[in-house]
Amino acid sequence: MFAFPRGSDLPWQIIAMLPVLGLAAYWAGGEAGLIMLAALLPFWVMAYRAHLLRAPPVAVSDQVIDRLDRALAEIRTKGGATGCLVIQFDDPAHLADRLGRTRQCEILAASIGRLRGALRPGDMLFPMEDGSLAVALSATPRLDAEIMVRIAARLHLVVQQPMNLADGPAQVTCSVGFCHSAQLRQPSGRSLLDAAQVAADEAARNRPGAIRGYSDDLARARADRDALRSGFSQAVDRGEIQAWFQPQLSTDSGEVSGIEALVRWQHPERGLLAPGSFLPAIEGSELMELLGQTMLAQSLAALVELDRRGLHLPTVAVNFSGPELRDPQLPDRLRWTLDRYGLAPSRLTVEVLESVVAGDGDDVIASNIGRISALGCAVDLDDFGTGNSSITAIRRFALNRLKIDRSFVQDVDQNRDQQKLVMAILSLAERLGLDTLAEGVETPAEHALLAQLGCGHVQGYVVAKPMPVGDLVRWLTTHRDQHREAIRIGVKAR
């Protein structure tokens, strides 16, 4: 029996085999054999076609793996090397929101056409199910690490060149990861694709437009992130994910004007983990929403506990990620959560990263921030000065306060250029009617100069380090007593 390949080419394969089938039928049974072939062939073709339709489709990743396995088999007999590259478009969800699905598909099709034109003979490009692109290189005698880098750079450049589409010009950025077959101890098609994906994920973490090659260190880091990600939900259930709080002081009165919630993971094996140790593992997944909900609930619960102890604070600031701020249900969820804890909306400050505000025309985020502000919550623009937001972009969002990044605050009492930058930010905030807070303030001299320049609030180690709510209660009690004593002494001195 002859086995025909799957897919739309089946009729052509049958036509090509008809002379052979007819000759075989004639030799076996003469005219009767030919008659039987003519009678049975249509039914056999239809039955085989029905079998193909019932069979599950072959995953694209399996096709990539099969292609790489064939290249590796050729290498084992003839020598040479192969490799795999994975190309990922930077921030594809935001790209779809900004350009629309139709235009995004046009860009993908144009990029695929360009890439196929840039590949060497024998190399194959596969559009993957997740929107990325995989390239399986053919077995090549002289393929080495340097040539792999050149191939990655060429494909990277091809994708990022401006393109002219039917409805106007467009340009996208991409991240590329690659792996050379010689880098793996026992290379297989699957391990080669997985290694290139590890490198591509690392490149995406350093986007836009990054290129990364595979290494054992990357693999270990990936395994570590996977372990943290897989255990995060259970950590929330066990109470290991905790909100710690850092006080913020008014430079006018010296009183605590609020606290910022900062996440910590009390890991049973690794000890206390700072955000930089585990946030990269859950970014871009639904776990970020789980983290946001957990931090919001713990922060509002902390305010209720402080109120019960007579340590009333005006507000708690909670960070929200870009995907959370794009959720149209976020303002309603904040209102419901505040109602559940019996707190006024003014007790909650929503922190938004400048990189989120700097996004190209993100009307969904602007609308959500407007609704949150109308609800009565304050909105802080975090890490101001590190992104690319323009004055026009800032004015589009209903902001209350600019948080001056630590990079501008460091040594501000000694560095004249730093002072000029801070003064420019304070002047801008004043003209826009916004309050200001300097974060990362570490010395009394920095604190004093910022107050002298007119910065409204300060936050940093000079005030207090982040702490769990139990330690915060003790710190607030001590600060309140010291502040009252300082005021009493000041009154007596006059």
Side-chain angles (χ1 to χ4, degrees):
M1 180 178 289
F2 295 96
F4 292 102
R6 299 180 58 175
S8 59
D9 290 338
L10 179 61
W12 295 103
Q13 299 289 342
I14 295 173
I15 293 172
M17 295 297 296
L18 274 177
V20 177
L21 292 172
L23 185 60
Y26 185 77
W27 282 345
E31 292 183 1
L34 288 175
I35 294 172
M36 184 172 294
L37 174 65
L40 295 180
L41 183 61
F43 295 100
W44 176 58
V45 171
M46 287 188 290
Y48 189 74
R49 173 65 72 179
H51 165 72
L52 291 179
L53 294 175
R54 287 195 302 270
V58 178
V60 178
S61 57
D62 290 338
Q63 298 177 36
V64 181
I65 291 168
D66 179 67
R67 180 69 180 181
L68 291 170
D69 279 334
R70 282 187 279 142
L72 290 167
E74 183 179 344
I75 290 168
R76 283 189 284 270
T77 57
K78 299 181 180 179
T82 184
C84 183
L85 301 96
V86 172
I87 303 166
Q88 298 183 163
F89 292 95
D90 293 330
D91 202 358
H94 182 51
L95 186 67
D97 291 340
R98 180 164 56 91
L99 300 176
R101 294 291 180 184
T102 301
R103 191 166 169 81
Q104 184 188 28
C105 291
E106 292 177 357
I107 291 173
L108 177 61
S111 299
I112 290 174
R114 285 181 170 186
L115 287 168
R116 284 180 171 152
L119 293 176
R120 308 170 308 162
D123 297 342
M124 292 194 67
L125 176 70
F126 298 85
M128 304 290 282
E129 293 87 349
D130 62 355
S132 62
L133 305 172
V135 176
L137 300 182
S138 59
T140 307
R142 297 181 180 178
L143 182 67
D144 56 21
E146 184 178 350
I147 294 176
M148 282 288 298
V149 172
R150 292 177 184 173
I151 293 174
R154 182 170 72 247
L155 300 183
H156 182 261
L157 179 63
V158 163
V159 173
Q160 299 196 148
Q161 287 294 314
M163 58 187 73
N164 290 315
L165 303 178
D167 55 351
Q171 186 172 15
V172 294
T173 61
C174 68
S175 302
V176 181
F178 63 89
C179 180
H180 189 277
S181 58
Q183 292 181 271
L184 304 179
R185 294 183 181 87
Q186 295 181 330
S188 66
R190 183 173 298 279
S191 64
L192 200 52
L193 176 59
D194 288 344
Q197 185 65 65
V198 167
D201 289 344
E202 178 65 20
R205 291 179 61 237
N206 294 273
R207 65 175 182 258
I211 301 176
R212 292 293 184 273
Y214 172 80
S215 68
D216 290 339
D217 290 341
L218 282 185
R220 284 190 290 269
R222 169 69 174 269
D224 185 58
R225 288 196 299 271
D226 288 346
L228 290 172
R229 181 167 55 249
S230 63
F232 187 82
S233 295
Q234 292 78 10
V236 171
D237 294 338
R238 291 192 296 264
E240 297 170 7
I241 306 301
Q242 303 171 1
W244 284 32
F245 303 95
Q246 189 170 34
Q248 301 164 339
L249 291 188
S250 167
T251 56
D252 289 334
S253 65
E255 295 180 348
V256 179
S257 55
I259 51 176
E260 180 184 2
L262 302 166
V263 65
R264 297 292 186 270
W265 184 346
Q266 189 62 59
H267 198 282
E269 299 173 357
R270 307 186 190 191
L272 186 66
L273 299 181
S277 301
F278 61 90
L279 283 186
I282 66 173
E283 284 178 345
S285 72
E286 69 282 356
L287 295 175
M288 285 299 293
E289 182 178 347
L290 175 61
L291 173 61
Q293 294 173 355
T294 302
M295 292 295 291
L296 178 63
Q298 291 189 19
S299 299
L300 298 183
L303 281 188
V304 172
E305 175 63 17
L306 293 174
D307 287 350
R308 189 184 68 83
R309 292 174 177 267
L311 298 167
H312 179 86
L313 290 180
T315 184
V316 59
V318 180
N319 292 272
F320 289 87
S321 65
E324 288 178 288
L325 291 167
R326 293 189 186 101
D327 181 1
Q329 296 182 344
L330 177 62
D332 292 332
R333 190 162 63 245
L334 293 182
R335 185 179 69 252
W336 298 333
T337 308
L338 286 163
D339 288 344
R340 181 157 62 93
Y341 285 93
L343 295 171
S346 60
R347 304 291 299 280
L348 174 65
T349 296
V350 173
E351 291 206 356
V352 183
L353 288 172
E354 186 187 9
S355 57
V356 174
V357 172
D360 295 334
D362 206 321
D363 295 331
V364 176
I365 292 181
S367 174
N368 274 350
I369 291 178
R371 292 172 59 195
I372 291 170
S373 180
L375 179 65
C377 300
V379 181
D380 281 2
L381 183 59
D382 198 11
D383 293 344
F384 181 73
T386 61
N388 298 308
S389 59
S390 64
I391 297 177
T392 303
I394 294 174
R395 290 175 64 87
R396 289 182 59 240
F397 293 83
L399 304 176
N400 299 94
R401 184 166 64 179
L402 299 183
K403 292 189 70 176
I404 304 173
D405 186 70
R406 166 65 187 161
S407 60
F408 299 104
V409 172
Q410 186 175 14
D411 299 327
V412 70
D413 58 310
Q414 304 173 26
N415 189 320
R416 182 59 181 169
D417 291 335
Q418 291 284 77
Q419 293 174 21
K420 292 178 181 178
L421 288 171
V422 171
M423 290 170 65
I425 294 173
L426 294 175
S427 176
L428 171 64
E430 182 180 5
R431 291 178 180 274
L432 294 176
L434 301 177
D435 201 354
T436 51
L437 182 149
E439 54 186 348
V441 183
E442 295 188 353
T443 68
E446 292 173 353
H447 183 180
L449 184 61
L450 288 165
Q452 182 181 350
L453 293 176
C455 185
H457 308 265
V458 292
Q459 173 184 343
Y461 283 10
V462 70
V463 178
K465 295 182 179 181
M467 64 192 86
V469 66
D471 293 346
L472 178 64
V473 168
R474 290 186 287 273
W475 185 93
L476 288 172
T477 301
T478 301
H479 178 81
R480 180 187 60 185
D481 294 342
Q482 291 176 344
H483 188 64
R484 286 176 177 173
E485 181 66 15
I487 292 176
R488 188 181 64 80
I489 293 173
V491 171
K492 283 186 176 180
R494 288 196 293 271

